[in-house]
């Protein structure tokens, strides 16, 4: 006997509120600033994915999907075409490879490495409204961020990976909108994605690389959730805020009632920033403060000790307080000590800082670095991520640099990084085609053309 049909989108649950927002928000309701921010996030994701294509974990993701049957969807930067699920997995994993993906600080999440692989694959898999792609992305960021900012604090983020926990819900909401699902089916997609929350933060302690694949798994889960919902399957309307739902599972049920999209002029995507350094969010401001000291004339050989003043989330996040030794580049990219020391030695913020993890001078400086909590930075977080780097020199003097917040990469830097990565992978003509395809999204072009333009 068939199960009775239920109208689950009518109760005021967290997933219902998110679903109604995803379906009811018109493109005209979204400010142009948010739409253009989405275009910038797409460019940032593509730049990261193309630049990371030859890293070991990227090659592993490609090797995995290479063994799978062919399909209609592009694996960015390769000649491979695979199923939507396999392409979403590969592109999410590769896009995470540099650890330079976009950042939403209040949810402690990298949303672009889930939302964009989901929408890229969907756009090549199904006939969708290309004009609505950027609006769908804005919706995806909003849904994931709305859940993540209420669910995660420093304690939970130290154990459970925020990106892959809430990212799949954002990807599912974006996919459901682009597929034209109604509120009930969209709620089901979001609820299925909540059931597929994944990712543990054990990797910094054990030296594993599973973090890179969290985003790929979340993108795959997002597409799976949206398609299951489209097939008519039902889901608990309280999957997020029920007595055994997502928030209850992490003992945060009292916060679930606050899950609500901002909307209007306060879209969550507007608070997403683009990283200057290819490393953990929490090392960004300290690296910039260290670079300021280098530019003032300080040399690494003069440094006797280093103090980094930060806030509890930064100091307590897994892998951030690590003076070494380092088993690989991921360890180094998470470490405040290594990242600051590498900037002082190299004189720049660059991917090259992480290619060697045992440079003698970097290791010396990392070993004499102390992390401290600065109350003013603690109060300002998450609206701002302040940091101070204080150096004691061989002559007994101290030098310091203080930044009240990270200085984000701007649109020009994001485009320059995309052009450089695309030129290296696709050649000058290919880079020009990709740039034009990105500019055309939502203005006569869609993500399927972008995906095609990423192939050599």
């Amino acid at each position: 006997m068939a199960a009775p049909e239920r109208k689950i989108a009518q109760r005021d649950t967290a997933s219902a509120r998110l679903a109604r927002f995803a379906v009811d928000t018109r493109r005209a309701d979204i400010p142009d600033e948010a739409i253009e921010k989405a275009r910038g996030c797409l460019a940032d994701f593509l730049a990261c994915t193309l630049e990371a294509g030859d890293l070991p974990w990227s090659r592993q993701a490609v090797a995995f999907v290479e063994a799978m049957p062919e399909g209609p969807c592009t694996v960015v930067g390769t000649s491979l075409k695979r199923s939507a699920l396999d392409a979403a997995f590969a592109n999410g994993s590769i896009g995470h490879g540099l650890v330079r993906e976009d950042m939403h600080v209040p949810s402690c999440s990298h949303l672009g490495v889930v939302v964009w692989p989901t929408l890229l694959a969907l756009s090549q898999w199904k006939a969708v409204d290309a004009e609505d792609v950027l609006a769908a992305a804005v919706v995806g960021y909003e849904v994931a961020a709305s859940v993540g900012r209420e669910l995660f604090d420093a304690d939970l983020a130290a154990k459970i990976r925020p990106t892959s926990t809430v990212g799949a819900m954002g990807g599912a909401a974006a996919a459901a909108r682009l597929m034209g699902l109604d509120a009930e089916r969209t709620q089901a997609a979001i609820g299925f994605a909540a059931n597929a929350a994944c990712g543990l933060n054990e990797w910094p302690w054990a030296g594993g690389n599973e973090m890179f694949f969290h985003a790929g798994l979340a993108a795959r889960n997002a597409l799976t959730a949206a398609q299951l919902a489209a097939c008519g399957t039902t889901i608990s309307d309280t999957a997020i805020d029920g007595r055994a739902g997502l928030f209850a599972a992490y003992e945060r049920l009292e916060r679930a009632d606050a899950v609500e999209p901002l909307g209007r002029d306060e879209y969550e995507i507007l608070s997403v920033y683009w990283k200057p350094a290819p490393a953990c969010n929490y090392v960004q401001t300290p690296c910039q403060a260290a670079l300021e000291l280098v530019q003032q004339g300080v040399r690494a050989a003069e440094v006797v000790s280093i103090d980094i003043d930060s806030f509890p989330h930064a100091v307590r996040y897994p892998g951030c307080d690590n003076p070494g030794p380092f088993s690989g580049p991921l360890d180094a990219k998470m470490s405040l000590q290594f990242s600051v020391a590498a900037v002082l030695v190299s004189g720049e913020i660059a991917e090259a800082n992480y290619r060697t993890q045992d440079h003698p001078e970097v290791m010396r400086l990392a070993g004499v670095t102390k992390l401290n909590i600065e109350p003013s930075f603690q109060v300002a977080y998450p609206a701002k991520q302040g940091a101070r780097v204080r150096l004691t020199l061989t002559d007994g003097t101290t030098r310091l640099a203080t930044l009240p917040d990270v200085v984000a990469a701007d649109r020009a830097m994001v485009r320059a990084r995309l052009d450089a990565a695309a030129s290296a992978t696709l050649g000058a003509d290919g880079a020009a085609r990709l740039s034009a395809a990105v500019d055309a999204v939502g203005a006569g072009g869609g993500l399927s053309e972008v995906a095609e333009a990423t192939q050599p």
Side-chain angles (χ1 to χ4, degrees):
M1 181 180 296
E5 186 175 339
R6 294 185 298 162
K7 294 296 183 183
I8 61 175
Q10 296 177 357
R11 293 207 299 177
D12 185 33
T13 65
S15 59
R17 294 191 295 274
L18 297 171
R20 286 194 294 268
F21 166 80
V23 172
D24 293 345
T25 300
R26 301 173 304 160
R27 165 61 184 87
D29 296 331
I30 303 174
D32 290 342
E33 182 185 8
I35 293 294
E36 285 308 307
K37 184 64 175 285
R39 192 188 310 279
C41 289
L42 170 61
D44 182 68
F45 167 75
L46 294 170
C48 290
T49 308
L50 289 169
E51 192 173 335
D54 198 41
L55 295 174
W57 28 92
S58 299
R59 294 197 299 269
Q60 291 159 6
V62 170
F64 174 79
V65 299
E66 199 167 19
M68 300 299 173
E70 291 188 8
C73 303
T74 300
V75 177
V76 171
T78 78
S79 59
L80 295 177
K81 285 201 167 185
R82 292 297 183 263
S83 72
L85 297 180
D86 288 336
F89 168 77
N91 291 332
S93 301
I94 299 168
H96 210 4
L98 283 182
V99 199
R100 202 186 66 202
E101 58 291 299
D102 64 23
M103 181 72 203
H104 182 261
V105 177
S107 66
C108 197
S109 298
H110 312 293
L111 304 178
V113 286
V114 182
V115 170
W116 294 114
T118 301
L119 294 181
L120 279 167
L122 179 62
S123 295
Q124 290 187 292
W125 180 30
K126 293 178 178 288
V128 297
D129 181 3
E131 295 296 305
D132 198 46
V133 163
L134 294 178
V138 172
V139 163
Y141 276 76
E142 188 77 21
V143 167
S146 298
V147 177
R149 70 159 57 241
E150 301 302 333
L151 180 62
F152 282 98
D153 56 19
D155 291 333
L156 185 59
K159 302 179 183 71
I160 303 297
R161 190 81 197 288
T163 296
S164 47
T165 300
V166 303
M169 283 179 271
R177 178 186 173 105
L178 208 55
M179 293 165 68
L181 301 188
D182 64 16
E184 186 175 359
R185 296 295 100 221
T186 299
Q187 184 179 11
I190 293 169
F192 271 118
N195 275 267
C198 66
L200 304 174
N201 267 340
E202 179 61 16
W203 49 274
W205 307 114
N209 286 331
E210 61 265 37
M211 182 208 80
F212 296 114
F213 303 100
H214 287 165
L217 291 168
R220 183 185 182 98
N221 288 342
L223 270 182
T224 301
Q227 181 62 14
L228 279 170
C231 291
T233 50
T234 58
I235 188 70
S236 308
D237 60 341
T238 49
I240 294 174
D241 52 0
R243 60 184 177 182
L246 180 69
F247 276 69
Y250 296 126
E251 299 182 345
R252 280 153 175 79
L253 185 56
E254 73 281 359
R255 303 183 190 180
D257 286 344
V259 173
E260 184 80 49
L262 294 177
R264 296 183 181 268
D265 295 327
E266 297 183 279
Y267 283 85
E268 295 278 11
I269 197 170
L270 295 175
S271 62
V272 168
Y273 86 91
W274 302 315
K275 290 181 181 178
C280 175
N281 167 59
Y282 295 124
V283 312
Q284 303 292 320
T285 319
C287 281
Q288 292 182 317
L291 183 60
E292 186 175 306
L293 291 167
V294 170
Q295 292 168 345
Q296 292 175 10
V298 174
R299 296 293 173 261
E302 304 174 292
V303 178
V304 174
S305 65
I306 304 171
D307 281 271
I308 301 174
D309 299 333
S310 188
F311 45 89
H313 278 71
V315 174
R316 292 167 54 189
Y317 195 78
C320 287
D321 184 3
N322 180 10
F326 305 97
S327 62
L330 182 54
D331 281 4
K333 289 184 176 215
M334 298 302 300
S335 166
L336 277 80
Q337 292 95 326
F338 182 98
S339 295
V340 166
V343 170
L344 293 172
V345 171
S346 71
E348 63 179 348
I349 295 174
E351 173 68 11
N353 289 2
Y354 300 97
R355 290 177 186 157
T356 302
Q357 296 86 51
D358 58 358
H359 187 289
E361 187 68 348
V362 173
M363 293 303 296
R364 178 184 76 81
L365 293 177
V368 297
T369 298
K370 179 184 176 184
L371 306 186
N372 311 294
I373 300 299
E374 166 55 49
S376 64
F377 297 153
Q378 181 176 355
V379 170
Y381 180 86
K384 293 184 178 181
Q385 299 191 104
R388 179 182 300 113
V389 174
R390 185 169 57 252
L391 308 179
T392 301
L393 307 183
T394 52
D395 63 3
T397 63
T398 60
R399 301 286 290 274
L400 64 86
T402 303
L403 291 176
D405 197 8
V406 60
V407 181
D410 59 17
R411 186 70 177 270
M413 179 180 286
V414 167
R415 275 309 179 106
R417 296 194 299 208
L418 175 59
D419 289 344
S423 295
T425 306
L426 311 172
D429 290 344
R433 284 194 299 272
L434 179 57
S435 182
V438 171
D439 288 338
V441 173
L447 284 184
S448 59
E449 291 88 348
V450 171
E452 294 288 347
T454 68
Q455 293 202 286

